[in-house]
Amino acid sequence: MDSNSKVRLFSDFTDAYLKWEGDIAKRALECMRIQYPLWLEPVEPDDLCAGRGEFDDELGFTPQALVNKFCYYFDEEKAERLLADASLSDECRCRFAEIAAFWKTEDSACKLRKSYSSAVSSLLPSDDWKGEAGCAFPLYRMSGTQLDYDKLLRLGIPGLKQELSRFADERPECRKYYEDAAAELDYVTEVMRWYAGSLRGSENENLNTIAGILDALCCRAPETMREAIQLSYLYCQLAGSLNFGRMDEYLGDFLAMDIEAGRLDRELAINMIGRYWKLIEKRGRVYDSRLTIGGKGRRNEKNADRFALYAIEAIRQVRCVAPQVTLRFYSGQNPELADAAMAAIAEGCTFPMLYNDDVNIPSVASAFGVSNEEAVGYIPFGCGEYTLYHRSVGTPSGVINLMQILLEVLKRRSYDSYEDLWQAYVSEIGKYMAVLAEQEICEYRFAGAAAPFHLIGILYDDCLERAAAVFDGGVRHLGGTVESYGGTNAADSLVVIRNFLFDSAIMTQGEMVRILETDFTGNEVFRQKCLSMPKYGNDDDIADDIKTAVDRAVCEAAIDSGKKVGLDSYLVVFINNDANTVLGHYTGASPDGRHSGLPLANGNAPSGGCDRKGLTALLNSMLKPSTRIHAGAVQNLKLSGRMFSDGCLLKTRALLDTYFASGGAQLMITVVNRGDLEDAMLHPENYGNLIVRVGGFSARFIELGRDVQEEILSRTLY
Amino acid sequence: MVSGLVFDIQRCALHDGPGIRSVAFLKGCPLRCLWCCNPESQSAERQLFYHSGKCLSCFGCVGVCPAGALRAGTEGVEIDFGLCVSCGKCGKICPAGAIGLYGYEMTAEEVVVEFERDAGYYASSGGGITLSGGEPLMQAEFASEILMLSKKKGWHTAVETCGTVPAVSLSTALPFADLFLLDFKLSDRELFKEYAGGDYGMMMNFLEVLAASGKEIILRTVFVPGVNDTSNHAEAVAALCRKYPCIAAVNVMPLHDYGKTKYTDIGRPVPEIYGNLPNEGQVDRWLSLLREAGIENVKKG
């Protein structure tokens, strides 16, 4: 869309926003109807289905924009560029200047910040976590929704509308709610007709087929796997959701029917799934795009398993960095799934990621405070945060840097004993956690008051029964999560602090602080002493006990803070994207021997290169922190290809089986050889397909920043 | 309480017996193989090491050395290894782990406690524990105690041995070991003396006693081009396999130089033999030769 047309669209968008100020449902609907021709992209000739698009424009409405923004979002940087666009007419430039001035303060994140209490404002003074040092930051998004795609595909758009009519008849006092929800379904139909109209009569057979599918889906529920993919993909996009639920369950029956009817065979089906992977990958949401296969609680296990096996085969054939395919497994599950997963991993695929139901179900039950039956529906989204499938939301709306907090505590005053320092540290974590939890509930309230997000609520349990919008009392379990980084560095640092300042008392606190402030300059001998102290990741009880205690302290602080603000759960996630590297830039030298500016440890892993006692020691360490007090901890493991050679494969399987049987919740395995990585840094052109898991997402190695590449190289390769 | 001198415990070993294993390396060896990859294992005493690459040149070690073995040099510490009295004071003061002693005393119980950490992995993988070295049976009482305690735990036990110890040393360990990884380097009495410094007759006697027990044996044959890649040696290995049915397999261990820095670290010259490492083609040819000699179960170890 050219810049002048874009401005006219933003003008209409702004007018609608003002016109419908008193009716948030109508306002959201009209804004969505105005914006879709902008953000939805044309169908490419070889696309499997229609609906590509990304919220990366100057202005828009979505639960989660590409930048750190939500609801009615306005991207000032982009707006400035548009304003300077030479192709803008004078009239459009003037209009856009007005629009920009309006949205500068009307942007939802901006308005949310204004609603903060003084405590939140003072402890979370900035949201620029990628550009400033800080202990904690807010994140603005309603992310991690996992819709009931099974219901969507069973009923189709017409069936969902009928359901809403029934509700409206039964509860006339809530008629407006149901009619508003139905109007959002009409919006879905409108978009399908718009797409179909643009494709119908095309010379390209594939595009014509898509047009036919879209026409059919306006009138009935899907009947084939391709129709089911089209509807679920487009609905997910229009709802502003970024994750794809338990795909093997909701597509498994369609696959079985297609095969039964002779419409598909194994190869055609895998090819279709592979094309779907490519479409998801093209959207570029590598931190999200999570889908789950396998695990307990699928209503159609046999058909779902078949889809799951084809899905893994499609990963092997397509080698993409998204979707983030996640395999849930339990003892007694069809072993073909785990075998196929291991074969894919051995070939260098970073998917599927492995999640152990036998551990995760009771852990989620404990952490979320729900029954085991309900916890069967746990599902990771994004970088690995757990939610309950179409029953809970748990958007990560905060970041906490545990290393930075420890440094501040260390600098603040002197301590009489280690216990004194520890209590001060725990108390400081609690202080930040309290405002992060308050921020989280503020954000939910804001979103609930800003828009109903009916397309999400229609596919969430309880919303229709309660006639309540998802973020306004509709969702059964209103949870929240907080991304925690630097815990391993803090734990390793506490080992050093306890020994050097108290047990051995070889230096004063002031001396340690001074050395850290100069980034060990002229004190390499001291830094080596720091490095030589016990480190998490070596099955060393001294270090592992402190890591466990730090984890527990931060998790319990979150749980307590969540209760105080009235969240059904508020849980830490030890996930990773590249935030460990980004936050590390602004975190000073730490007593564990880490230089200022270097990355913090990744997820729940040891600091890079600090695990030196072998793979079993590493796994044993990773097993020690409790899995029952948080909403997910990323466990990355880099293994060399040698571990999957004929001579070692059975041993490697036994190793992983033992880890899982001993309480291991998850693993994200990257099979790679150090030489590949080093050579890829020198000759990126030769390594386009080298995929490495960086924490909770996967990316092509050569596309990562040099500092991230170096951080990966620094992690121990087994 | 039986104790002994250990120089390393490695966990998650995948190449020293079946399954996932922990390996304790015991100090002391009767042989002096020219290609030895663990030169720090040979002496039965604690001995000084110095990793120059790690040294920060703080020279704290120089000040605490009671024997005058250490001097501050222009590029790190200069060492007279002959003067060292193995007191270990340098290692205690070094911040970087650059200097210290190979070898530390442990009781058999302490070794087993360390092994116990990975017991779950042994059970699931059909693995267990392995004693290696050096020559573990140089500390026969210590080794036997570790093996006995391990068997009490129900673990599979293996001993990697050069077989060049008196048969009486074997007899104490024998009841508690499930598998022997016997290093069979050379089949010529004179060459064995020349390249390994060992008594061939003692080794053959050891093998005789071991085989009589019926315990499973895997022959580990180091492959050194130009030294033992002869058809005579291949025939001799094959003959042993025919004679002793308890030899379940033959593993070929190609010569490598991964341990070369350890020589420098303990003040010894790097072996000249490392200048002639085998390539893959040579290894494959040697494997073929062994197969042609009639050995069925042979592979690269």
Side-chain angles (χ1 to χ4, degrees):
Chain A
M1 189 177 282
D2 70 84
S3 297
N4 288 300
S5 306
K6 225 173 170 181
V7 169
R8 282 189 280 276
L9 187 144
F10 290 147
S11 178
D12 292 346
F13 184 94
T14 308
D15 289 345
Y17 179 83
L18 288 166
K19 181 179 176 188
W20 298 105
E21 202 174 359
D23 182 342
I24 59 165
K26 185 76 176 164
R27 182 175 69 176
L29 177 67
E30 290 308 316
C31 286
M32 288 193 291
R33 292 185 63 220
I34 289 166
Q35 74 180 0
Y36 77 77
L38 173 63
W39 74 273
L40 285 175
E41 294 166 16
V43 186
E44 298 286 330
D46 58 348
D47 279 355
L48 181 66
C49 55
R52 283 160 171 255
E54 185 51 88
F55 282 97
D56 57 356
D57 296 301
E58 292 77 357
L59 176 62
F61 168 76
T62 174
Q64 183 181 3
L66 200 58
V67 288
N68 187 13
K69 297 268 183 176
F70 77 136
C71 291
Y72 294 94
Y73 76 91
F74 176 64
D75 187 332
E76 274 186 60
E77 276 181 35
K78 278 207 161 154
E80 275 172 28
R81 285 201 292 277
L82 180 57
L83 208 55
D85 187 333
S87 69
L88 273 190
S89 69
D90 288 347
E91 187 194 346
C92 285
R93 196 184 316 279
C94 291
R95 177 61 186 138
F96 191 63
E98 284 171 10
I99 293 169
F102 172 76
W103 283 106
K104 209 168 172 178
T105 52
E106 196 61 24
D107 165 76
S108 292
C110 177
K111 287 175 78 175
L112 169 66
R113 286 197 69 81
K114 283 184 192 152
S115 74
Y116 284 168
S117 69
S118 59
V120 176
S121 294
S122 71
L123 285 176
L124 305 177
S126 166
D127 52 25
D128 187 14
W129 66 276
K130 292 186 175 178
E132 289 177 27
C135 294
F137 298 90
L139 300 170
Y140 313 120
R141 53 190 178 183
M142 291 292 113
S143 80
T145 50
Q146 293 270 20
L147 311 181
D148 187 352
Y149 294 103
D150 220 20
K151 176 181 167 186
L152 170 71
L153 301 180
R154 192 175 68 249
L155 299 178
I157 300 298
L160 290 172
K161 282 198 71 179
Q162 279 172 18
E163 187 189 31
L164 290 170
S165 283
R166 271 199 311 277
F167 270 113
D169 291 344
E170 285 164 18
R171 299 182 61 185
E173 75 281 9
C174 302
R175 182 166 291 279
K176 173 156 174 33
Y177 171 87
Y178 296 112
E179 284 175 356
D180 287 342
E184 288 205 14
L185 290 175
D186 287 340
Y187 157 64
V188 176
T189 307
E190 180 182 330
V191 173
M192 289 200 289
R193 290 200 195 286
W194 173 74
Y195 259 129
S198 74
L199 300 172
R200 206 175 296 121
S202 162
E203 287 174 10
N204 180 305
E205 192 187 338
N206 179 48
L207 297 182
N208 259 318
T209 304
I210 295 173
I213 289 171
L214 290 164
D215 281 336
L217 291 171
C218 291
C219 313
R220 60 165 172 78
E223 292 174 354
T224 66
M225 184 161 85
R226 187 160 182 192
E227 289 178 2
I229 289 173
Q230 172 64 78
L231 183 59
S232 54
Y233 178 70
L234 185 61
Y235 192 102
C236 176
Q237 285 280 69
L238 297 180
S241 191
L242 298 170
N243 297 283
F244 297 96
R246 302 189 79 166
M247 191 178 276
D248 57 344
E249 185 187 42
Y250 66 78
L251 290 182
D253 293 351
F254 289 99
L255 171 66
M257 284 188 294
D258 280 355
I259 287 178
E260 179 90 353
R263 286 188 291 269
L264 287 178
D265 59 18
R266 182 178 180 277
E267 263 181 51
L268 286 171
I270 290 167
N271 180 269
M272 185 182 288
I273 296 166
R275 287 176 66 198
Y276 193 22
W277 288 178
K278 284 183 190 164
L279 187 70
I280 292 171
E281 184 186 37
K282 278 178 190 162
R283 190 173 177 191
R285 287 277 196 166
V286 292
Y287 297 95
D288 291 283
S289 307
R290 173 90 65 151
L291 66 88
T292 299
I293 54 176
K296 285 184 181 170
R298 293 167 297 157
R299 58 171 175 74
N300 53 349
E301 190 146 338
K302 193 175 158 217
N303 287 344
D305 281 356
R306 173 146 65 173
F307 181 89
L309 287 167
Y310 289 6
I312 295 169
E313 183 57 31
I315 294 170
R316 294 172 71 172
Q317 293 184 8
V318 174
R319 296 285 175 125
C320 44
V321 299
Q324 300 196 78
V325 180
T326 299
L327 175 68
R328 280 177 50 175
F329 64 92
Y330 62 93
S331 48
Q333 180 163 292
N334 176 1
E336 286 179 65
L337 269 65
D339 291 346
M342 292 304 287
I345 290 166
E347 286 173 5
C349 302
T350 53
F351 303 120
M353 297 176 276
L354 307 173
Y355 281 72
N356 182 5
D357 275 6
D358 298 328
V359 171
N360 288 322
I361 290 171
S363 294
V364 166
S366 162
F368 282 68
V370 297
S371 66
N372 271 352
E373 290 69 39
E374 194 149 33
V376 165
Y378 87 91
I379 188 164
F381 72 87
C383 299
E385 305 91 334
Y386 298 154
T387 50
L388 304 173
Y389 193 26
H390 54 79
R391 282 185 183 171
S392 83
V393 288
T395 187
S397 292
V399 172
I400 190 164
N401 180 345
L402 297 176
M403 189 60 245
Q404 182 70 24
I405 293 178
L406 180 60
L407 288 175
E408 306 245 327
V409 165
L410 196 61
K411 287 172 193 169
R412 185 163 303 157
R413 66 172 175 88
S414 64
Y415 300 93
D416 298 334
S417 63
Y418 175 74
E419 189 56 27
D420 186 19
L421 183 142
W422 170 254
Q423 288 305 332
Y425 182 47
V426 172
S427 159
E428 196 71 1
I429 291 171
K431 200 170 87 183
Y432 280 103
M433 209 52 98
V435 294
L436 285 165
E438 192 184 328
Q439 199 289 137
E440 176 102 28
I441 200 131
C442 277
E443 199 167 315
Y444 277 134
R445 285 190 190 127
F446 185 95
F453 299 102
H454 281 306
L455 290 182
I456 296 172
I458 289 166
L459 296 185
Y460 250 72
D461 292 10
D462 298 0
C463 290
L464 298 186
E465 287 78 3
R466 295 177 182 180
V470 60
F471 303 121
D472 190 23
V475 71
R476 181 179 300 184
H477 189 102
L478 184 69
T481 47
V482 52
E483 299 183 10
S484 167
Y485 300 100
T488 299
N489 299 90
D492 288 346
S493 294
L494 284 163
V495 172
V496 175
I497 289 169
R498 185 169 74 180
N499 188 290
F500 288 10
L501 301 188
F502 303 105
D503 294 352
S504 315
I506 58 169
M507 66 196 313
T508 67
Q509 191 181 328
E511 284 167 344
M512 180 180 275
V513 168
R514 273 193 297 282
I515 291 172
L516 294 176
E517 281 176 344
T518 57
D519 194 18
F520 303 103
T521 305
N523 283 289
E524 184 59 19
V525 168
F526 171 73
R527 196 177 82 85
Q528 291 296 331
K529 277 186 189 163
C530 295
L531 288 172
S532 71
M533 293 300 287
K535 296 277 186 276
Y536 171 69
N538 296 292
D539 201 8
D540 179 312
D541 292 333
I542 293 172
D544 295 351
D545 285 354
I546 291 192
K547 171 72 164 81
T548 303
V550 170
D551 273 18
R552 183 166 288 282
V554 66
C555 289
E556 288 180 348
I559 291 167
D560 289 348
S561 303
K563 279 182 189 155
K564 283 182 188 146
V565 299
L567 287 164
D568 291 322
S569 66
Y570 187 58
L571 300 167
V572 165
V573 285
F574 300 98
I575 55 160
N576 197 30
N577 19 67
D578 54 2
N580 67 313
T581 304
V582 175
L583 290 170
H585 280 315
Y586 302 102
T587 306
S590 40
D592 56 346
R594 178 189 139 277
H595 273 300
S596 174
L598 290 187
L600 301 169
N602 162 301
N604 197 31
S607 292
C610 285
D611 45 330
R612 292 182 288 249
K613 285 279 177 74
L615 193 46
T616 51
L618 169 64
L619 292 174
N620 286 355
S621 281
M622 296 200 313
L623 284 167
K624 289 177 190 173
S626 172
T627 56
R628 301 169 77 92
I629 50 177
H630 57 70
V634 168
Q635 312 276 14
N636 280 311
L637 207 56
K638 275 197 302 183
L639 299 177
S640 64
R642 187 178 59 93
M643 295 285 291
F644 292 87
S645 62
D646 286 347
C648 281
L649 182 59
L650 285 176
K651 295 178 187 183
T652 302
R653 285 292 295 267
L655 187 79
L656 301 178
D657 288 348
T658 309
Y659 164 75
F660 285 123
S662 309
Q666 64 161 106
L667 278 181
M668 301 180 177
I669 302 171
T670 303
V671 172
V672 72
N673 290 306
R674 187 177 297 276
D676 291 343
L677 298 180
E678 285 165 350
D679 201 39
M681 288 176 78
L682 296 173
H683 304 289
E685 67 278 10
N686 299 332
Y687 290 88
N689 280 324
L690 181 60
I691 294 172
V692 178
R693 170 144 290 286
V694 183
F697 82 112
S698 173
R700 291 192 168 79
F701 185 75
I702 56 162
E703 291 168 358
L704 300 171
R706 193 166 181 89
D707 51 353
V708 177
Q709 290 179 339
E710 282 169 357
E711 193 267 334
I712 292 171
L713 271 174
S714 76
R715 284 188 242 153
T716 307
L717 183 63
Y718 289 101
Chain B
M1 204 177 296
V2 188
S3 64
L5 214 52
V6 175
F7 70 93
D8 196 12
I9 293 182
Q10 277 185 13
R11 297 167 63 174
C12 200
L14 303 179
H15 303 283
D16 294 290
I20 297 166
R21 310 186 76 81
S22 292
V23 183
F25 292 85
L26 275 51
K27 211 156 165 5
C29 185
L31 300 186
R32 293 293 179 268
C33 304
L34 295 186
W35 47 79
C36 180
C37 65
N38 289 334
E40 78 279 29
S41 75
Q42 293 175 1
S43 160
E45 308 294 329
R46 289 183 186 81
Q47 75 189 107
L48 185 65
F49 70 80
Y50 174 60
H51 307 308
S52 57
K54 284 188 173 182
C55 180
L56 303 170
S57 294
C58 69
F59 302 122
C61 54
V62 176
V64 296
C65 177
L70 311 179
R71 275 194 318 278
T74 48
E75 291 176 15
V77 182
E78 288 174 1
I79 300 176
D80 187 337
F81 284 87
L83 294 178
C84 175
V85 293
S86 300
C87 67
K89 286 180 181 169
C90 53
K92 286 191 183 125
I93 200 164
C94 178
I99 195 165
L101 296 181
Y102 279 128
Y104 45 92
E105 193 158 304
M106 289 181 85
T107 66
E109 285 83 356
E110 285 167 344
V111 174
V112 172
V113 165
E114 189 66 15
F115 284 163
E116 181 112 51
R117 288 181 173 271
D118 287 346
Y121 300 97
Y122 312 152
S124 66
S125 67
I129 65 102
T130 300
L131 298 186
S132 181
E135 169 50 57
L137 298 179
M138 285 267 285
Q139 302 184 59
E141 195 187 357
F142 179 49
S144 302
E145 185 75 5
I146 297 170
L147 293 169
M148 188 269 287
L149 292 171
S150 298
K151 284 315 294 178
K152 267 192 183 171
K153 301 277 184 190
W155 304 331
H156 180 271
T157 55
V159 177
E160 178 169 32
T161 174
C162 67
T164 319
V165 289
V168 64
S169 298
L170 172 63
S171 63
T172 54
L174 200 51
F176 310 112
D178 299 310
L179 167 69
F180 284 82
L181 306 169
L182 179 65
D183 296 338
F184 189 73
K185 303 159 200 292
L186 287 154
S187 44
D188 178 286
R189 188 176 297 270
E190 293 308 314
L191 289 177
F192 190 63
K193 186 83 191 159
E194 182 184 343
Y195 283 95
D199 180 340
Y200 190 73
M202 183 185 274
M203 180 176 68
M204 295 313 284
N205 185 42
F206 180 98
L207 178 54
E208 189 75 34
V209 175
L210 177 57
S213 74
K215 297 276 180 176
E216 185 182 354
I217 301 169
I218 293 174
L219 282 191
R220 295 189 133 182
T221 61
V222 64
F223 168 56
V224 187
V227 175
N228 65 1
D229 53 346
T230 62
S231 55
N232 281 350
H233 185 49
E235 285 299 333
V237 174
L240 285 182
C241 292
R242 284 193 296 274
K243 185 176 176 188
Y244 301 116
C246 51
I247 297 177
V250 174
N251 290 352
V252 171
M253 323 291 281
L255 175 69
H256 63 80
D257 65 352
Y258 299 158
K260 66 181 171 188
T261 57
K262 295 197 283 190
Y263 280 90
T264 317
D265 291 348
I266 58 173
R268 286 177 56 182
V270 175
E272 284 176 18
I273 207 160
Y274 286 173
N276 186 26
L277 298 179
N279 59 36
E280 268 186 47
Q282 287 173 300
V283 175
D284 288 343
R285 277 197 295 282
W286 177 238
L287 283 165
S288 302
L289 206 63
L290 289 171
R291 288 194 187 103
E292 282 163 20
I295 305 167
E296 286 168 13
N297 192 2
V298 60
K299 60 172 187 175
K300 206 169 125 184

